[in-house]
Amino acid sequence: MPRILVVDDDPMVGATIEVLLQRQGFDVTLADGGETGLSALEAQTYDVMLVDIFMPHMRGFESIRIFHERAPAIPLIAMSGYAFASSASPTPDFLRMALELGAARCLRKPFTPDALLTTIRECLADAGGNAQPKDKKEAP
């Protein structure tokens, strides 16, 4: 049973992801912030990490960078609901930046259960084959 670490400061988001993944047969550990997520990472091994980009006490991309540095072999899926780059806006594309810092995949909130499960399965397949993803992808 694959182990998934979910790090998100929004209790409703975390609980929703936890229930969805448990119903699909995953062993889920829920952490409500960066510090508790790092503690969980030190106490257990995981097959995939889902990490929110913006959380209190670990601002911006610090959490993505630290999680990737501590466990570079574990695929990391960055999640964010913040503004994204578009042709009409000069704002940075936060999920693209997360890929540069080590995230294997990205999910824009809100995402569908199917998008979440597909992204997790892609990461498990990439890690299981000991192959690096040929190109990092952003889920729709």
Side-chain angles (χ1 to χ4, degrees):
M1 170 183 328
R3 280 199 178 113
I4 312 291
L5 174 60
V6 178
V7 184
D8 197 308
D9 62 310
D10 184 328
M12 291 300 287
V13 171
T16 302
I17 292 172
E18 180 180 33
V19 168
L20 172 71
L21 295 180
Q22 286 175 340
R23 287 183 179 163
Q24 295 294 316
F26 293 102
D27 180 3
V28 180
T29 299
L30 186 58
D32 62 1
E35 290 83 4
T36 53
L38 288 172
S39 294
L41 191 59
E42 291 171 6
Q44 184 83 260
T45 58
Y46 295 95
D47 298 295
V48 174
M49 297 182 282
L50 281 151
V51 181
D52 188 18
I53 292 176
F54 294 101
M55 294 181 288
H57 311 297
M58 277 197 169
R59 303 236 180 255
F61 300 99
E62 181 182 7
S63 59
I64 300 297
R65 182 184 56 77
I66 292 171
F67 277 91
H68 181 67
E69 282 178 1
R70 298 265 174 100
I74 301 173
L76 189 150
I77 301 168
M79 307 179 291
S80 182
Y82 278 83
F84 304 103
S86 71
S87 58
S89 171
T91 59
D93 188 335
F94 297 121
L95 292 177
R96 269 299 151 214
M97 289 183 209
L99 291 172
E100 297 299 319
L101 291 172
R105 301 281 192 286
C106 292
L107 286 170
R108 295 176 192 252
K109 292 179 185 177
F111 46 80
T112 65
D114 284 344
L116 174 63
L117 293 170
T118 297
T119 304
I120 289 172
R121 288 184 182 123
E122 287 174 355
C123 286
L124 290 171
D126 290 345
N130 290 327
Q132 294 295 322
K134 289 183 179 164
D135 59 348
K136 296 178 179 185
K137 297 180 183 173
E138 185 175 321

